[in-house]
Amino acid sequence: MGLFERLRGGASIPRKGNAFQSLSEGSTLWRQAVSKGYDDLLSASDIADLSRLFQQRHLLAHCEGMVDQDYISRSGDQTYAIGQQMEEAVGHAIDLASQLIGELKKLV
């Protein structure tokens, strides 16, 4: 969010306070600001991984890592069953987020 705020420099690109917790909302804001969304900066498989990892982050932060139907529906992840405890995949999420931030910095 800090990078986006620096880019905006007070410009009037409206956004919700937590828009960057959603890949689609964050990507839309960047597309409005610099004509490139996340799908222009990462491969389709990286975007799919990042989407799944964002859903996992939500489970870890709000559901103590307990898999529910909403997670399976949103992520498409069939490696877990409802009620199963999720394992953290933080390392891969950090790698993909770092790659995305690096690409966004090039645009600012």
Side-chain angles (χ1 to χ4, degrees):
M1 183 165 58
L3 185 60
F4 187 78
E5 293 299 327
R6 188 170 48 175
L7 170 74
R8 286 180 5 144
S12 60
I13 300 172
R15 67 169 184 80
K16 293 189 322 187
N18 63 352
F20 294 104
Q21 288 184 8
S22 163
L23 286 179
S24 63
E25 288 182 43
S27 182
T28 297
L29 288 171
W30 278 101
R31 188 173 307 286
Q32 290 171 351
V34 297
S35 301
K36 289 192 184 276
Y38 297 164
D39 57 335
D40 297 309
L41 305 172
L42 295 177
S43 71
S45 77
D46 284 346
I47 291 290
D49 283 351
L50 199 53
S51 179
R52 180 180 44 78
L53 292 164
F54 264 56
Q55 293 299 319
Q56 287 181 0
R57 182 217 61 85
H58 178 82
L59 276 187
L60 292 166
H62 302 292
C63 302
E64 298 178 2
M66 192 66 61
V67 175
D68 58 14
Q69 183 60 53
D70 190 46
Y71 166 77
I72 292 172
S73 297
R74 288 176 183 243
S75 70
D77 188 351
Q78 299 297 313
T79 61
Y80 292 100
I82 295 172
Q84 187 176 358
Q85 189 73 32
M86 174 159 299
E87 299 172 16
E88 292 188 47
V90 175
H92 189 50
I94 290 171
D95 290 344
L96 288 173
S98 295
Q99 182 180 347
L100 181 58
I101 290 167
E103 293 299 320
L104 291 170
K105 282 182 177 179
K106 293 175 187 177
L107 299 173
V108 174

